[in-house]
Amino acid sequence: MLLKLSLTGIKGRLRDYIVLFSGLVMASGIFYMFEGLATNKTFLESNTMISSVVMIFHLGTVLLSIITFVYILYANSFLMTMRQKDYAMFMMLGAKGRKIAQLIFIETFVVGVGATIVGTVLGIGLSSVVQQLLVKQLAIKVTHFAAFNSSAILFTLAFFTIIFLLAAFVNAMTIVKKPILSLLKASETPLPANRKRMTLLLEVVAGVIFLGIGYLMMKLVGTLQLIALAVALVTIILGTYFVFHSILIFVLDLLKRRDKIALKKLNNFTLSQLSFRIQDYTKILSMVAMLFALALGAITVGLGFHNEVSKMTEATSAYDLVLNNGQTVSSSELEKITPTSDVAYQQKEDAATVYYDRGQFDQTPFSAIEFDKQNQAKKVQYSGEKLAGDVVAADKLRNLELPEQQTKKHQFLASEEFAALPIQATELRLITVADFAKARPALKNLAEENLKKNPSLNDGVGNFTQKALIYDMYNALFSGFEFMGFFLGIAFLTMLASCLMFKILSGAKSDIQRYSMLEKIGTRRKLLTQSIRKEIGILFLVPGLLGVIHVLFGLQMFKTLLSEPYSNIWLPFLIFFVLYFVYYLLTVWIYTGIVMRRAD
């Protein structure tokens, strides 16, 4: 009977429960996606340069568990605000407290476990889809990844079942112990406590100082290492909290005092709504800002590793293709890559010496990569005379020769002397193309063909002279970090946006009377809708902006791993803000539906 009554209650508020259910499904799906990586030790060790990444993911599991727990608290709060008046009505009609407790327990547990099962299935599908999209779009290689992970399934089901058992028990005890009058008036929002100006000012100063120390520590992480990380973590969390607990309140107070802003349309009402809520939102906004920084940072660093592959490849060789015995390669094969430069240096060799025509190098100097004092790669050119008199320059040419040629001496002869040698000539053919990324598949085929025609290169030496093969090696090396950066960034984004969404929606019921009253006294719906958009927009925008600032300073930590951590930073920011904006629109739509539909 209680189960039937619970299901009837869920059906009666199906629209609200769909919001709750979909959020819980997403939470459990994301949790499974993360655990699918965290519990796959073989995948983590096979796709990263450092084995300690396994420990990092275990720490990440603890962090995600805490975040998920907080998320469920807000989702649970949303559930309670929907049903408190209903439970109070049941009590007024004579229902016993024990039966109400059982009813609450069943509703909470059924919704939670049902969402977890659906979310786990969704997580398996999302893992597969995300993996396919990332591998295809980023052209990365990952090994030992499986969308279906039995350990992750068991861990996800066990974790959420325990959490919802606790939530159901707490809900039941909380509702039963509350007086009926308290439940009926639960939607009334208490006024915030008054804050002394001196206290507010001290918190503002403390917030700025803490953030400054944290940002400085992130810049010095290469020197102070773990100490800098620990100090940065503590100070940035404290600074973030004070920003929302003091600076934001201070700014809202200033805006309310400026008549040109406050008296325009419904701005005074919107600012008052934010002022009443902001202290209650301090913790969630702080958490969202930190998660925003983690998520955006993960995507940015992941893309940074993706960009690093091309940069490191470019720094290895001045030529896109090296053809030993290049005279055997037909012109039709080379047309596929449309070379911008195709230089053939003739070679003649005997048992002890490799001979070159010095005039060819004078006419078309040999190019090589050198690194300056700042470790920046630059292209330099060597004439025949330079190669003949500089051992270092000659070694750069020697690195492109066949292994059996590298042990021999070099002689750079005049064109007449070279032509007079009674030895059959071969060619060392060096090619560059206009667009390496576009021509890479064709370059790879030609490089592999060069290995087949010159068996002595197959001991691994040939892999370090061909850009296309070098690209594959670096790509395999960094692909794990790219994949995990994007994967985790999307997961954290969904979680943080959902947490903020449910925190906002949990207070929507208390706003129904306010918006209804404004409409009854003649306020146009268009202005009410604009007020909702501004209020929710500020709640989304402020933690987002602070998270961006955290990321911009946080990228300083990766200067030792990435040559240009800020390169193409606009792309991950754009991807992130598009997804974040979608959550903002969804929250506005749901919130408007709750507060405006009752105003009819």
Side-chain angles (χ1 to χ4, degrees):
M1 181 65 185
L2 285 176
L3 178 60
K4 184 177 180 180
L5 187 60
S6 299
L7 295 176
T8 302
I10 292 172
K11 184 179 178 181
R13 292 180 175 270
L14 189 59
R15 179 177 174 178
D16 294 332
Y17 271 99
I18 287 175
V19 175
L20 174 66
F21 191 81
S22 61
L24 295 176
V25 165
M26 188 59 68
S28 53
I30 291 167
F31 192 89
Y32 169 81
M33 290 170 69
F34 188 95
E35 286 305 307
L37 289 180
T39 58
N40 192 340
K41 185 177 179 181
T42 305
F43 166 78
L44 295 177
E45 292 182 344
S46 300
N47 293 278
T48 58
M49 296 181 294
I50 50 175
S51 58
S52 59
V53 75
V54 177
M55 180 58 66
I56 293 172
F57 262 78
H58 287 316
L59 294 174
T61 298
V62 176
L63 176 63
L64 185 64
S65 299
I66 295 171
I67 294 167
T68 305
F69 180 72
V70 173
Y71 172 78
I72 290 174
L73 288 180
Y74 286 119
N76 190 53
S77 174
F78 181 60
L79 171 64
M80 286 298 96
T81 56
M82 289 193 301
R83 297 286 281 154
Q84 279 186 125
K85 283 190 176 181
D86 293 343
Y87 298 142
M89 292 298 296
F90 291 154
M91 291 180 183
M92 290 179 66
L93 293 173
K96 294 181 179 180
R98 182 170 57 84
K99 293 296 182 182
I100 295 294
Q102 291 177 4
L103 181 66
I104 297 169
F105 187 93
I106 291 172
E107 283 188 11
T108 305
F109 191 69
V110 167
V111 172
V113 173
T116 302
I117 294 172
V118 175
T120 303
V121 175
L122 178 67
I124 295 172
L126 283 176
S127 296
S128 179
V129 170
V130 171
Q131 186 250 352
Q132 292 296 328
L133 284 176
L134 292 179
V135 169
K136 182 179 179 180
Q137 295 299 320
L138 299 180
I140 61 178
K141 295 180 180 179
V142 292
T143 57
H144 301 99
F145 177 85
F148 183 86
N149 186 319
S150 57
S151 298
I153 291 175
L154 292 174
F155 191 87
T156 302
L157 292 175
F159 177 81
F160 277 86
T161 300
I162 292 171
I163 292 297
F164 281 113
L165 277 173
L166 292 174
F169 180 77
V170 171
N171 285 348
M173 294 301 99
T174 302
I175 294 295
V176 171
K177 289 181 179 180
K178 277 187 177 182
I180 295 176
L181 189 60
S182 297
L183 294 175
L184 291 172
K185 293 180 174 291
S187 61
E188 293 183 1
T189 305
L191 294 174
N194 291 325
R195 303 279 301 282
K196 293 182 179 180
R197 287 186 175 275
M198 183 56 67
T199 303
L200 197 63
L201 182 60
L202 289 174
E203 288 187 4
V204 169
V205 174
V208 173
I209 291 174
F210 278 130
L211 287 179
I213 293 172
Y215 295 152
L216 178 63
M217 287 297 104
M218 287 193 289
K219 187 174 183 179
L220 298 177
V221 74
T223 306
L224 301 178
Q225 298 181 350
L226 289 177
I227 296 175
L229 285 174
V231 173
L233 181 64
V234 174
T235 53
I236 289 176
I237 289 175
L238 289 174
T240 302
Y241 177 82
F242 281 125
V243 163
F244 295 112
H245 198 250
S246 59
I247 297 176
L248 189 54
I249 294 174
F250 185 74
V251 171
L252 289 172
D253 187 56
L254 287 179
L255 292 175
K256 287 173 68 177
R257 292 174 184 274
R258 292 184 65 86
D259 291 343
K260 288 184 179 181
I261 297 175
L263 299 181
K264 187 177 180 180
K265 297 183 179 179
L266 291 181
N267 285 351
N268 195 41
F269 171 74
T270 305
L271 292 171
S272 298
Q273 284 272 91
L274 288 168
S275 297
F276 276 109
R277 285 195 170 130
I278 204 64
Q279 291 195 61
D280 183 43
Y281 276 46
T282 297
K283 293 178 182 178
I284 183 64
L285 291 178
S286 301
M287 185 185 76
V288 167
M290 294 301 296
L291 283 178
F292 193 100
L294 287 173
L296 182 54
I299 294 178
T300 304
V301 173
L303 188 63
F305 278 114
H306 182 69
N307 296 333
E308 203 68 18
V309 173
S310 298
K311 294 175 185 176
M312 293 177 68
T313 302
E314 286 297 319
T316 57
S317 177
Y319 298 99
D320 297 317
L321 180 65
V322 177
L323 296 175
N324 305 94
N325 292 310
Q327 71 279 357
T328 62
V329 180
S330 65
S331 300
S332 60
E333 292 182 69
L334 295 178
E335 287 177 359
K336 298 176 183 177
I337 59 174
T338 56
T340 56
S341 172
D342 184 357
V343 183
Y345 296 115
Q346 288 190 314
Q347 301 170 313
K348 292 183 179 181
E349 61 180 300
D350 54 27
T353 307
V354 178
Y355 303 95
Y356 286 98
D357 183 347
R358 188 170 58 197
Q360 291 182 334
F361 290 98
D362 291 334
Q363 184 178 358
T364 309
F366 172 72
S367 297
I369 297 294
E370 282 190 356
F371 294 89
D372 57 22
K373 292 180 180 179
Q374 287 75 37
N375 204 33
Q376 296 294 316
K378 61 179 182 179
K379 188 179 290 188
V380 294
Q381 294 185 323
Y382 300 109
S383 63
E385 183 179 355
K386 179 71 173 177
L387 290 168
D390 189 334
V391 176
V392 175
D395 282 343
K396 295 184 181 296
L397 174 63
R398 195 184 301 276
N399 290 335
L400 304 183
E401 297 173 341
L402 294 171
E404 60 268 23
Q405 294 175 324
Q406 294 176 6
T407 58
K408 299 177 181 181
K409 293 189 301 181
H410 280 173
Q411 279 199 25
F412 295 87
L413 306 176
S415 299
E416 297 80 6
E417 294 179 278
F418 182 84
L421 286 175
I423 305 172
Q424 185 176 357
T426 58
E427 288 181 351
L428 176 62
R429 202 163 180 177
L430 307 177
I431 297 171
T432 56
V433 297
D435 189 341
F436 174 78
K438 184 178 180 180
R440 187 165 53 82
L443 288 171
K444 183 179 179 180
N445 292 334
L446 289 168
E448 290 174 343
E449 189 65 28
N450 189 64
L451 292 178
K452 290 179 183 179
K453 291 180 178 179
N454 300 281
S456 61
L457 291 171
N458 289 320
D459 60 358
V461 176
N463 292 337
F464 295 97
T465 60
Q466 304 289 358
K467 256 190 186 177
L469 301 181
I470 292 171
Y471 179 92
D472 284 348
M473 286 192 293
Y474 283 137
N475 195 33
L477 195 64
F478 288 111
S479 286
F481 284 120
E482 296 172 40
F483 178 77
M484 286 183 281
F486 276 85
F487 198 97
L488 298 181
I490 293 171
F492 277 128
L493 167 64
T494 309
M495 188 67 75
L496 74 90
S498 298
C499 282
L500 184 55
M501 180 179 75
F502 271 111
K503 178 60 178 176
I504 293 170
L505 294 180
S506 65
K509 296 278 181 186
S510 63
D511 289 335
I512 293 173
Q513 290 183 351
R514 296 186 185 92
Y515 284 96
S516 176
M517 188 179 300
L518 285 171
E519 189 171 22
K520 286 178 181 178
I521 63 176
T523 307
R524 288 176 296 163
R525 279 210 162 201
K526 183 179 179 181
L527 290 177
L528 294 175
T529 305
Q530 288 177 356
S531 176
I532 291 172
R533 290 172 182 169
K534 289 178 183 177
E535 181 183 343
I536 297 177
I538 290 173
L539 293 175
F540 268 81
L541 181 64
V542 174
L545 289 177
L546 188 58
V548 168
I549 296 172
H550 288 347
V551 171
L552 292 176
F553 281 96
L555 288 176
Q556 293 286 327
M557 296 188 297
F558 294 93
K559 281 191 171 181
T560 55
L561 294 175
L562 304 175
S563 60
E564 296 179 35
Y566 295 96
S567 177
N568 293 324
I569 195 174
W570 63 270
L571 182 57
F573 275 52
L574 178 63
I575 295 171
F576 202 85
F577 278 110
V578 167
L579 295 174
Y580 195 58
F581 185 68
V582 169
Y583 262 97
Y584 161 72
L585 293 178
L586 179 63
T587 306
V588 168
W589 177 67
I590 297 173
Y591 185 91
T592 304
I594 293 174
V595 300
M596 299 295 286
R597 64 175 176 171
R598 305 293 178 86
D600 292 330

